[in-house]
């Protein structure tokens, strides 16, 4: 087997805080390993104000960085055959974090684990995370475990998750959110959609799957042995202390098993 190229921040002084830093609109870049990144503030950081296109990162091992890969403002981004683990920043210790209008993104054959922002279930120590600005996102053949909050926590507009395993996380194995929001005091209904097929979620501290007001279509889910619910369908407050809540989940679940969870198999709150 090929020995990895190793980039190690240890002993480097100055402003070089990122393993990969993308300042401009550099596009159609392939970074092919085996490559190891360690001891950086961020494994990858990128300029949120400039769109980059057609990136592929393949076969990297990123670990012991403050944060993992911060994927900001990409149109066409693939991360595959890689492992991200043991991030430790005091906020947003994400393994893989997508934001700032990133779209057409593929996370495939990735393992993300032991990412910990030291805030437990109240933090953002997630294995894979995407916010509401993200467009189309495909997550395929991934394993997320032992993250301080969620294995997968996504709010993107159009999400497909296939063949995922998520276990031993500090909150949920999978968490999906509606992008419903307020304009002034007016509720604007969510438009994002989640399709999940073949998910195993087990031994997570609270829920196997948590749905925050989202439009979720799921099949072949096995959610067992979690600390609270196998599937938790709930609403969420649209702004802190506003007293205005989202609409309920719209979940269609087929051919799935929810069993041996500490509270109930499926809990619906509204």
């Amino acid at each position: 087997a090929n020995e990895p190229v190793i980039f190690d921040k240890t002993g480097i002084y100055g402003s070089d805080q990122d393993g990969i830093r993308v300042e401009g609109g550099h596009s159609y870049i392939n970074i092919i390993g085996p490559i190891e990144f360690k001891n950086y503030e961020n494994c990858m950081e990128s300029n949120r104000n400039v769109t980059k296109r057609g990136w592929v990162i393949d076969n990297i091992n990123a670990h012991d960085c403050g944060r993992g890969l911060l994927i900001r403002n990409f149109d066409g981004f693939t991360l595959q055959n890689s492992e991200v683990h043991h991030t430790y920043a005091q906020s947003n210790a994400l393994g893989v974090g997508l934001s700032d209008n990133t779209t057409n993104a593929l996370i495939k054959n990735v393992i993300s684990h032991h990412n910990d922002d030291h805030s437990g279930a109240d933090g953002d120590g997630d294995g894979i995370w995407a916010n509401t600005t993200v467009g189309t996102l495909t997550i395929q053949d991934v394993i997320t475990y032992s993250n301080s909050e969620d294995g997968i926590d996504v709010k993107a507009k159009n999400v497909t998750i296939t063949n995922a395993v998520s276990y031993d996380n500090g909150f949920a194995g999978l968490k999906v959110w509606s992008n419903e929001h307020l304009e002034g005091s007016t509720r604007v209904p969510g438009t994002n959609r989640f399709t999940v097929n073949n998910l195993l979620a087990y031994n997570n501290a609270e829920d196997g799957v948590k749905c925050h007001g989202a439009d979720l279509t799921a099949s072949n889910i096995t959610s067992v042995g979690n600390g609270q619910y196998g599937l938790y369908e709930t609403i969420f407050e649209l702004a802190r202390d506003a007293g205005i809540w989202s609409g309920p989940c719209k979940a269609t679940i087929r051919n799935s098993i929810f069993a041996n969870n500490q509270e109930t198999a499926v809990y619906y709150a509204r």
Side-chain angles (χ1 to χ4, degrees), residues 128-175:
I128 299 171
W129 173 90
N131 72 8
T132 56
T133 70
V134 174
T136 298
L137 169 61
T138 300
I139 299 171
Q140 182 178 340
D141 301 325
V142 301
I143 301 173
T144 55
Y145 67 93
S146 297
N147 298 289
S148 64
E149 193 187 15
D150 305 313
I152 302 172
D153 182 356
V154 284
K155 305 179 182 181
K157 296 178 179 67
N158 183 17
V159 179
T160 301
I161 300 173
T162 307
N163 300 335
V165 178
S166 192
Y167 63 95
D168 286 347
N169 297 292
F171 196 102
L174 169 65
K175 190 183 289 180

mmCIF file of all heavy atoms in Angstrom, residues 128-175:
data_model
loop_
_atom_site.group_PDB
_atom_site.id
_atom_site.type_symbol
_atom_site.label_atom_id
_atom_site.label_comp_id
_atom_site.label_asym_id
_atom_site.label_seq_id
_atom_site.Cartn_x
_atom_site.Cartn_y
_atom_site.Cartn_z
ATOM 1 N N ILE A 128 -21.541 14.719 10.304
ATOM 2 C CA ILE A 128 -21.823 15.394 9.039
ATOM 3 C C ILE A 128 -22.929 16.404 9.311
ATOM 4 O O ILE A 128 -23.971 16.057 9.895
ATOM 5 C CB ILE A 128 -22.259 14.409 7.945
ATOM 6 C CG1 ILE A 128 -21.141 13.384 7.668
ATOM 7 C CG2 ILE A 128 -22.620 15.144 6.652
ATOM 8 C CD1 ILE A 128 -21.567 12.244 6.754
ATOM 9 N N TRP A 129 -22.725 17.657 8.867
ATOM 10 C CA TRP A 129 -23.659 18.738 9.171
ATOM 11 C C TRP A 129 -23.848 19.596 7.928
ATOM 12 O O TRP A 129 -22.896 19.842 7.175
ATOM 13 C CB TRP A 129 -23.091 19.575 10.304
ATOM 14 C CG TRP A 129 -23.813 20.839 10.661
ATOM 15 C CD1 TRP A 129 -24.817 20.982 11.564
ATOM 16 C CD2 TRP A 129 -23.550 22.158 10.146
ATOM 17 N NE1 TRP A 129 -25.201 22.303 11.651
ATOM 18 C CE2 TRP A 129 -24.447 23.046 10.784
ATOM 19 C CE3 TRP A 129 -22.659 22.667 9.210
ATOM 20 C CZ2 TRP A 129 -24.475 24.414 10.525
ATOM 21 C CZ3 TRP A 129 -22.679 24.024 8.938
ATOM 22 C CH2 TRP A 129 -23.571 24.887 9.591
ATOM 23 N N ALA A 130 -25.078 20.044 7.685
ATOM 24 C CA ALA A 130 -25.354 20.955 6.570
ATOM 25 C C ALA A 130 -26.441 21.922 6.992
ATOM 26 O O ALA A 130 -27.465 21.498 7.542
ATOM 27 C CB ALA A 130 -25.774 20.189 5.319
ATOM 28 N N ASN A 131 -26.262 23.222 6.700
ATOM 29 C CA ASN A 131 -27.264 24.195 7.122
ATOM 30 C C ASN A 131 -28.264 24.495 6.005
ATOM 31 O O ASN A 131 -28.238 23.897 4.930
ATOM 32 C CB ASN A 131 -26.597 25.461 7.672
ATOM 33 C CG ASN A 131 -25.946 26.342 6.612
ATOM 34 O OD1 ASN A 131 -26.093 26.116 5.404
ATOM 35 N ND2 ASN A 131 -25.248 27.362 7.064
ATOM 36 N N THR A 132 -29.164 25.445 6.267
ATOM 37 C CA THR A 132 -30.292 25.679 5.368
ATOM 38 C C THR A 132 -29.889 26.324 4.041
ATOM 39 O O THR A 132 -30.678 26.333 3.102
ATOM 40 C CB THR A 132 -31.346 26.575 6.033
ATOM 41 O OG1 THR A 132 -30.726 27.807 6.454
ATOM 42 C CG2 THR A 132 -31.965 25.884 7.236
ATOM 43 N N THR A 133 -28.689 26.865 3.941
ATOM 44 C CA THR A 133 -28.263 27.462 2.669
ATOM 45 C C THR A 133 -27.822 26.423 1.648
ATOM 46 O O THR A 133 -27.658 26.738 0.468
ATOM 47 C CB THR A 133 -27.101 28.454 2.886
ATOM 48 O OG1 THR A 133 -25.915 27.737 3.242
ATOM 49 C CG2 THR A 133 -27.444 29.482 3.957
ATOM 50 N N VAL A 134 -27.599 25.198 2.089
ATOM 51 C CA VAL A 134 -27.080 24.151 1.198
ATOM 52 C C VAL A 134 -28.197 23.657 0.287
ATOM 53 O O VAL A 134 -29.336 23.467 0.722
ATOM 54 C CB VAL A 134 -26.479 23.000 2.035
ATOM 55 C CG1 VAL A 134 -26.068 21.830 1.146
ATOM 56 C CG2 VAL A 134 -25.286 23.515 2.833
ATOM 57 N N GLY A 135 -27.867 23.441 -1.003
ATOM 58 C CA GLY A 135 -28.843 23.003 -1.983
ATOM 59 C C GLY A 135 -28.980 21.492 -2.029
ATOM 60 O O GLY A 135 -29.493 20.866 -1.101
ATOM 61 N N THR A 136 -28.520 20.886 -3.106
ATOM 62 C CA THR A 136 -28.630 19.433 -3.275
ATOM 63 C C THR A 136 -27.441 18.746 -2.613
ATOM 64 O O THR A 136 -26.288 19.076 -2.877
ATOM 65 C CB THR A 136 -28.689 19.081 -4.767
ATOM 66 O OG1 THR A 136 -29.854 19.685 -5.339
ATOM 67 C CG2 THR A 136 -28.743 17.578 -4.969
ATOM 68 N N LEU A 137 -27.752 17.772 -1.760
ATOM 69 C CA LEU A 137 -26.733 17.041 -1.003
ATOM 70 C C LEU A 137 -27.060 15.564 -1.033
ATOM 71 O O LEU A 137 -28.175 15.160 -0.691
ATOM 72 C CB LEU A 137 -26.689 17.547 0.438
ATOM 73 C CG LEU A 137 -25.868 16.745 1.445
ATOM 74 C CD1 LEU A 137 -24.403 16.702 1.054
ATOM 75 C CD2 LEU A 137 -26.043 17.323 2.854
ATOM 76 N N THR A 138 -26.075 14.751 -1.424
ATOM 77 C CA THR A 138 -26.204 13.291 -1.406
ATOM 78 C C THR A 138 -25.188 12.726 -0.422
ATOM 79 O O THR A 138 -23.997 13.043 -0.497
ATOM 80 C CB THR A 138 -25.966 12.699 -2.805
ATOM 81 O OG1 THR A 138 -26.929 13.239 -3.716
ATOM 82 C CG2 THR A 138 -26.105 11.181 -2.771
ATOM 83 N N ILE A 139 -25.685 11.910 0.500
ATOM 84 C CA ILE A 139 -24.839 11.252 1.496
ATOM 85 C C ILE A 139 -25.010 9.754 1.290
ATOM 86 O O ILE A 139 -26.118 9.227 1.380
ATOM 87 C CB ILE A 139 -25.247 11.666 2.917
ATOM 88 C CG1 ILE A 139 -25.090 13.177 3.104
ATOM 89 C CG2 ILE A 139 -24.440 10.901 3.954
ATOM 90 C CD1 ILE A 139 -25.672 13.704 4.406
ATOM 91 N N GLN A 140 -23.916 9.062 1.000
ATOM 92 C CA GLN A 140 -24.010 7.662 0.584
ATOM 93 C C GLN A 140 -22.887 6.846 1.201
ATOM 94 O O GLN A 140 -21.719 7.263 1.207
ATOM 95 C CB GLN A 140 -23.936 7.590 -0.948
ATOM 96 C CG GLN A 140 -24.060 6.213 -1.538
ATOM 97 C CD GLN A 140 -24.019 6.244 -3.061
ATOM 98 O OE1 GLN A 140 -24.256 7.278 -3.678
ATOM 99 N NE2 GLN A 140 -23.710 5.112 -3.661
ATOM 100 N N ASP A 141 -23.241 5.697 1.748
ATOM 101 C CA ASP A 141 -22.249 4.744 2.257
ATOM 102 C C ASP A 141 -21.357 5.383 3.319
ATOM 103 O O ASP A 141 -20.126 5.350 3.234
ATOM 104 C CB ASP A 141 -21.386 4.200 1.109
ATOM 105 C CG ASP A 141 -22.201 3.504 0.029
ATOM 106 O OD1 ASP A 141 -23.194 2.860 0.370
ATOM 107 O OD2 ASP A 141 -21.848 3.632 -1.166
ATOM 108 N N VAL A 142 -21.985 5.964 4.345
ATOM 109 C CA VAL A 142 -21.229 6.639 5.393
ATOM 110 C C VAL A 142 -21.432 5.948 6.729
ATOM 111 O O VAL A 142 -22.438 5.274 6.969
ATOM 112 C CB VAL A 142 -21.618 8.126 5.513
ATOM 113 C CG1 VAL A 142 -21.369 8.858 4.190
ATOM 114 C CG2 VAL A 142 -23.065 8.300 5.965
ATOM 115 N N ILE A 143 -20.467 6.159 7.618
ATOM 116 C CA ILE A 143 -20.545 5.706 9.002
ATOM 117 C C ILE A 143 -20.204 6.893 9.889
ATOM 118 O O ILE A 143 -19.168 7.546 9.707
ATOM 119 C CB ILE A 143 -19.573 4.547 9.275
ATOM 120 C CG1 ILE A 143 -19.871 3.353 8.359
ATOM 121 C CG2 ILE A 143 -19.643 4.118 10.741
ATOM 122 C CD1 ILE A 143 -18.835 2.240 8.451
ATOM 123 N N THR A 144 -21.094 7.198 10.848
ATOM 124 C CA THR A 144 -20.836 8.267 11.806
ATOM 125 C C THR A 144 -21.050 7.706 13.207
ATOM 126 O O THR A 144 -22.099 7.133 13.496
ATOM 127 C CB THR A 144 -21.773 9.467 11.568
ATOM 128 O OG1 THR A 144 -23.137 9.031 11.602
ATOM 129 C CG2 THR A 144 -21.497 10.104 10.206
ATOM 130 N N TYR A 145 -20.071 7.884 14.075
ATOM 131 C CA TYR A 145 -20.214 7.328 15.415
ATOM 132 C C TYR A 145 -19.402 8.114 16.432
ATOM 133 O O TYR A 145 -18.423 8.795 16.104
ATOM 134 C CB TYR A 145 -19.823 5.853 15.445
ATOM 135 C CG TYR A 145 -18.365 5.552 15.190
ATOM 136 C CD1 TYR A 145 -17.462 5.434 16.253
ATOM 137 C CD2 TYR A 145 -17.884 5.338 13.909
ATOM 138 C CE1 TYR A 145 -16.124 5.129 16.031
ATOM 139 C CE2 TYR A 145 -16.550 5.030 13.673
ATOM 140 C CZ TYR A 145 -15.679 4.929 14.735
ATOM 141 O OH TYR A 145 -14.350 4.637 14.512
ATOM 142 N N SER A 146 -19.868 8.031 17.681
ATOM 143 C CA SER A 146 -19.175 8.622 18.831
ATOM 144 C C SER A 146 -18.896 10.110 18.654
ATOM 145 O O SER A 146 -17.875 10.625 19.120
ATOM 146 C CB SER A 146 -17.870 7.862 19.124
ATOM 147 O OG SER A 146 -18.151 6.526 19.483
ATOM 148 N N ASN A 147 -19.818 10.815 17.999
ATOM 149 C CA ASN A 147 -19.746 12.268 17.943
ATOM 150 C C ASN A 147 -20.502 12.847 19.130
ATOM 151 O O ASN A 147 -21.476 12.269 19.606
ATOM 152 C CB ASN A 147 -20.334 12.760 16.623
ATOM 153 C CG ASN A 147 -19.555 12.230 15.441
ATOM 154 O OD1 ASN A 147 -18.425 12.640 15.199
ATOM 155 N ND2 ASN A 147 -20.138 11.291 14.703
ATOM 156 N N SER A 148 -20.069 14.004 19.631
ATOM 157 C CA SER A 148 -20.641 14.502 20.879
ATOM 158 C C SER A 148 -22.089 14.943 20.729
ATOM 159 O O SER A 148 -22.831 14.948 21.716
ATOM 160 C CB SER A 148 -19.792 15.648 21.447
ATOM 161 O OG SER A 148 -19.789 16.772 20.589
ATOM 162 N N GLU A 149 -22.525 15.310 19.514
ATOM 163 C CA GLU A 149 -23.948 15.577 19.332
ATOM 164 C C GLU A 149 -24.536 14.555 18.373
ATOM 165 O O GLU A 149 -24.870 13.453 18.766
ATOM 166 C CB GLU A 149 -24.221 17.002 18.861
ATOM 167 C CG GLU A 149 -25.716 17.325 18.996
ATOM 168 C CD GLU A 149 -26.129 18.652 18.412
ATOM 169 O OE1 GLU A 149 -25.373 19.257 17.640
ATOM 170 O OE2 GLU A 149 -27.246 19.078 18.711
ATOM 171 N N ASP A 150 -24.642 14.864 17.091
ATOM 172 C CA ASP A 150 -25.340 13.991 16.152
ATOM 173 C C ASP A 150 -24.385 13.318 15.174
ATOM 174 O O ASP A 150 -23.349 13.877 14.818
ATOM 175 C CB ASP A 150 -26.368 14.801 15.346
ATOM 176 C CG ASP A 150 -27.339 15.548 16.242
ATOM 177 O OD1 ASP A 150 -27.864 14.926 17.179
ATOM 178 O OD2 ASP A 150 -27.557 16.753 16.008
ATOM 179 N N GLY A 151 -24.803 12.156 14.717
ATOM 180 C CA GLY A 151 -24.059 11.536 13.634
ATOM 181 C C GLY A 151 -24.203 12.339 12.348
ATOM 182 O O GLY A 151 -23.220 12.769 11.742
ATOM 183 N N ILE A 152 -25.468 12.565 11.925
ATOM 184 C CA ILE A 152 -25.780 13.371 10.745
ATOM 185 C C ILE A 152 -26.840 14.382 11.158
ATOM 186 O O ILE A 152 -27.881 14.013 11.715
ATOM 187 C CB ILE A 152 -26.301 12.500 9.592
ATOM 188 C CG1 ILE A 152 -25.271 11.423 9.212
ATOM 189 C CG2 ILE A 152 -26.641 13.349 8.375
ATOM 190 C CD1 ILE A 152 -25.800 10.392 8.209
ATOM 191 N N ASP A 153 -26.608 15.676 10.870
ATOM 192 C CA ASP A 153 -27.520 16.758 11.243
ATOM 193 C C ASP A 153 -27.638 17.671 10.027
ATOM 194 O O ASP A 153 -26.713 18.424 9.712
ATOM 195 C CB ASP A 153 -26.957 17.504 12.445
ATOM 196 C CG ASP A 153 -27.874 18.624 12.932
ATOM 197 O OD1 ASP A 153 -28.912 18.876 12.297
ATOM 198 O OD2 ASP A 153 -27.548 19.246 13.958
ATOM 199 N N VAL A 154 -28.780 17.612 9.306
ATOM 200 C CA VAL A 154 -28.869 18.302 8.013
ATOM 201 C C VAL A 154 -30.166 19.100 7.893
ATOM 202 O O VAL A 154 -31.238 18.664 8.297
ATOM 203 C CB VAL A 154 -28.746 17.312 6.831
ATOM 204 C CG1 VAL A 154 -27.301 16.883 6.643
ATOM 205 C CG2 VAL A 154 -29.628 16.080 7.027
ATOM 206 N N LYS A 155 -30.018 20.298 7.266
ATOM 207 C CA LYS A 155 -31.134 21.214 7.025
ATOM 208 C C LYS A 155 -31.189 21.639 5.559
ATOM 209 O O LYS A 155 -31.877 22.592 5.214
ATOM 210 C CB LYS A 155 -30.987 22.459 7.903
ATOM 211 C CG LYS A 155 -30.854 22.177 9.385
ATOM 212 C CD LYS A 155 -30.685 23.466 10.181
ATOM 213 C CE LYS A 155 -30.496 23.189 11.660
ATOM 214 N NZ LYS A 155 -30.358 24.430 12.451
ATOM 215 N N ALA A 156 -30.430 20.974 4.709
ATOM 216 C CA ALA A 156 -30.284 21.394 3.312
ATOM 217 C C ALA A 156 -31.604 21.255 2.559
ATOM 218 O O ALA A 156 -32.569 20.644 3.034
ATOM 219 C CB ALA A 156 -29.184 20.592 2.638
ATOM 220 N N LYS A 157 -31.634 21.801 1.331
ATOM 221 C CA LYS A 157 -32.884 21.902 0.582
ATOM 222 C C LYS A 157 -33.336 20.573 -0.019
ATOM 223 O O LYS A 157 -34.522 20.287 -0.092
ATOM 224 C CB LYS A 157 -32.723 22.950 -0.523
ATOM 225 C CG LYS A 157 -32.490 24.368 -0.004
ATOM 226 C CD LYS A 157 -32.293 25.352 -1.136
ATOM 227 C CE LYS A 157 -32.081 26.766 -0.604
ATOM 228 N NZ LYS A 157 -30.814 26.898 0.128
ATOM 229 N N ASN A 158 -32.431 19.773 -0.482
ATOM 230 C CA ASN A 158 -32.779 18.525 -1.181
ATOM 231 C C ASN A 158 -31.741 17.484 -0.805
ATOM 232 O O ASN A 158 -30.633 17.487 -1.344
ATOM 233 C CB ASN A 158 -32.805 18.760 -2.689
ATOM 234 C CG ASN A 158 -33.216 17.527 -3.455
ATOM 235 O OD1 ASN A 158 -33.779 16.587 -2.895
ATOM 236 N ND2 ASN A 158 -32.920 17.506 -4.738
ATOM 237 N N VAL A 159 -32.095 16.598 0.109
ATOM 238 C CA VAL A 159 -31.123 15.673 0.696
ATOM 239 C C VAL A 159 -31.532 14.233 0.416
ATOM 240 O O VAL A 159 -32.678 13.842 0.642
ATOM 241 C CB VAL A 159 -31.014 15.889 2.220
ATOM 242 C CG1 VAL A 159 -30.002 14.902 2.825
ATOM 243 C CG2 VAL A 159 -30.623 17.321 2.535
ATOM 244 N N THR A 160 -30.566 13.441 -0.067
ATOM 245 C CA THR A 160 -30.747 12.002 -0.237
ATOM 246 C C THR A 160 -29.678 11.288 0.573
ATOM 247 O O THR A 160 -28.482 11.561 0.401
ATOM 248 C CB THR A 160 -30.646 11.594 -1.711
ATOM 249 O OG1 THR A 160 -31.638 12.294 -2.464
ATOM 250 C CG2 THR A 160 -30.859 10.090 -1.875
ATOM 251 N N ILE A 161 -30.105 10.400 1.450
ATOM 252 C CA ILE A 161 -29.184 9.620 2.279
ATOM 253 C C ILE A 161 -29.425 8.150 1.994
ATOM 254 O O ILE A 161 -30.555 7.659 2.122
ATOM 255 C CB ILE A 161 -29.391 9.918 3.768
ATOM 256 C CG1 ILE A 161 -29.164 11.401 4.064
ATOM 257 C CG2 ILE A 161 -28.468 9.043 4.627
ATOM 258 C CD1 ILE A 161 -29.520 11.814 5.472
ATOM 259 N N THR A 162 -28.374 7.439 1.604
ATOM 260 C CA THR A 162 -28.477 6.029 1.256
ATOM 261 C C THR A 162 -27.346 5.254 1.930
ATOM 262 O O THR A 162 -26.183 5.660 1.847
ATOM 263 C CB THR A 162 -28.390 5.835 -0.273
ATOM 264 O OG1 THR A 162 -29.348 6.665 -0.915
ATOM 265 C CG2 THR A 162 -28.648 4.389 -0.654
ATOM 266 N N ASN A 163 -27.702 4.166 2.587
ATOM 267 C CA ASN A 163 -26.704 3.266 3.182
ATOM 268 C C ASN A 163 -25.854 3.999 4.219
ATOM 269 O O ASN A 163 -24.661 4.256 4.009
ATOM 270 C CB ASN A 163 -25.805 2.643 2.111
ATOM 271 C CG ASN A 163 -26.563 1.836 1.092
ATOM 272 O OD1 ASN A 163 -27.653 1.339 1.363
ATOM 273 N ND2 ASN A 163 -26.005 1.706 -0.104
ATOM 274 N N ALA A 164 -26.474 4.325 5.343
ATOM 275 C CA ALA A 164 -25.769 5.021 6.422
ATOM 276 C C ALA A 164 -25.888 4.222 7.713
ATOM 277 O O ALA A 164 -26.916 3.606 7.989
ATOM 278 C CB ALA A 164 -26.334 6.422 6.619
ATOM 279 N N VAL A 165 -24.819 4.262 8.500
ATOM 280 C CA VAL A 165 -24.805 3.668 9.839
ATOM 281 C C VAL A 165 -24.402 4.767 10.810
ATOM 282 O O VAL A 165 -23.408 5.472 10.578
ATOM 283 C CB VAL A 165 -23.812 2.494 9.923
ATOM 284 C CG1 VAL A 165 -23.785 1.915 11.338
ATOM 285 C CG2 VAL A 165 -24.165 1.415 8.911
ATOM 286 N N SER A 166 -25.176 4.935 11.881
ATOM 287 C CA SER A 166 -24.905 6.014 12.827
ATOM 288 C C SER A 166 -25.179 5.511 14.248
ATOM 289 O O SER A 166 -26.314 5.164 14.577
ATOM 290 C CB SER A 166 -25.794 7.218 12.493
ATOM 291 O OG SER A 166 -25.382 8.362 13.206
ATOM 292 N N TYR A 167 -24.153 5.499 15.086
ATOM 293 C CA TYR A 167 -24.310 4.894 16.401
ATOM 294 C C TYR A 167 -23.414 5.558 17.445
ATOM 295 O O TYR A 167 -22.432 6.240 17.121
ATOM 296 C CB TYR A 167 -24.005 3.397 16.342
ATOM 297 C CG TYR A 167 -22.585 3.041 15.947
ATOM 298 C CD1 TYR A 167 -21.615 2.791 16.921
ATOM 299 C CD2 TYR A 167 -22.206 2.921 14.611
ATOM 300 C CE1 TYR A 167 -20.315 2.446 16.574
ATOM 301 C CE2 TYR A 167 -20.919 2.573 14.256
ATOM 302 C CZ TYR A 167 -19.972 2.345 15.238
ATOM 303 O OH TYR A 167 -18.691 2.013 14.888
ATOM 304 N N ASP A 168 -23.797 5.370 18.701
ATOM 305 C CA ASP A 168 -23.017 5.846 19.848
ATOM 306 C C ASP A 168 -22.802 7.356 19.838
ATOM 307 O O ASP A 168 -21.814 7.860 20.396
ATOM 308 C CB ASP A 168 -21.657 5.135 19.929
ATOM 309 C CG ASP A 168 -21.765 3.704 20.406
ATOM 310 O OD1 ASP A 168 -22.837 3.326 20.900
ATOM 311 O OD2 ASP A 168 -20.776 2.952 20.264
ATOM 312 N N ASN A 169 -23.709 8.106 19.209
ATOM 313 C CA ASN A 169 -23.586 9.563 19.209
ATOM 314 C C ASN A 169 -24.271 10.152 20.440
ATOM 315 O O ASN A 169 -25.161 9.548 21.034
ATOM 316 C CB ASN A 169 -24.184 10.126 17.923
ATOM 317 C CG ASN A 169 -23.427 9.641 16.704
ATOM 318 O OD1 ASN A 169 -22.273 10.011 16.501
ATOM 319 N ND2 ASN A 169 -24.054 8.794 15.891
ATOM 320 N N GLY A 170 -23.888 11.376 20.819
ATOM 321 C CA GLY A 170 -24.347 11.983 22.053
ATOM 322 C C GLY A 170 -25.771 12.482 22.027
ATOM 323 O O GLY A 170 -26.350 12.780 23.078
ATOM 324 N N PHE A 171 -26.365 12.583 20.839
ATOM 325 C CA PHE A 171 -27.782 12.945 20.752
ATOM 326 C C PHE A 171 -28.473 12.003 19.782
ATOM 327 O O PHE A 171 -28.951 10.955 20.164
ATOM 328 C CB PHE A 171 -27.962 14.412 20.338
ATOM 329 C CG PHE A 171 -29.342 14.930 20.606
ATOM 330 C CD1 PHE A 171 -29.590 15.740 21.697
ATOM 331 C CD2 PHE A 171 -30.410 14.616 19.776
ATOM 332 C CE1 PHE A 171 -30.868 16.219 21.962
ATOM 333 C CE2 PHE A 171 -31.693 15.076 20.027
ATOM 334 C CZ PHE A 171 -31.926 15.892 21.119
ATOM 335 N N ALA A 172 -28.526 12.345 18.494
ATOM 336 C CA ALA A 172 -29.278 11.543 17.525
ATOM 337 C C ALA A 172 -28.359 10.905 16.495
ATOM 338 O O ALA A 172 -27.299 11.441 16.162
ATOM 339 C CB ALA A 172 -30.316 12.416 16.809
ATOM 340 N N GLY A 173 -28.825 9.773 15.981
ATOM 341 C CA GLY A 173 -28.104 9.175 14.863
ATOM 342 C C GLY A 173 -28.270 10.003 13.606
ATOM 343 O O GLY A 173 -27.304 10.311 12.904
ATOM 344 N N LEU A 174 -29.521 10.391 13.313
ATOM 345 C CA LEU A 174 -29.848 11.243 12.170
ATOM 346 C C LEU A 174 -30.839 12.297 12.634
ATOM 347 O O LEU A 174 -31.853 11.986 13.263
ATOM 348 C CB LEU A 174 -30.463 10.433 11.030
ATOM 349 C CG LEU A 174 -31.094 11.240 9.884
ATOM 350 C CD1 LEU A 174 -30.028 12.046 9.145
ATOM 351 C CD2 LEU A 174 -31.843 10.319 8.924
ATOM 352 N N LYS A 175 -30.564 13.561 12.292
ATOM 353 C CA LYS A 175 -31.468 14.663 12.605
ATOM 354 C C LYS A 175 -31.723 15.450 11.325
ATOM 355 O O LYS A 175 -30.779 15.868 10.643
ATOM 356 C CB LYS A 175 -30.853 15.562 13.675
ATOM 357 C CG LYS A 175 -31.798 16.618 14.250
ATOM 358 C CD LYS A 175 -31.052 17.508 15.244
ATOM 359 C CE LYS A 175 -30.733 16.762 16.522
ATOM 360 N NZ LYS A 175 -30.001 17.628 17.478
#
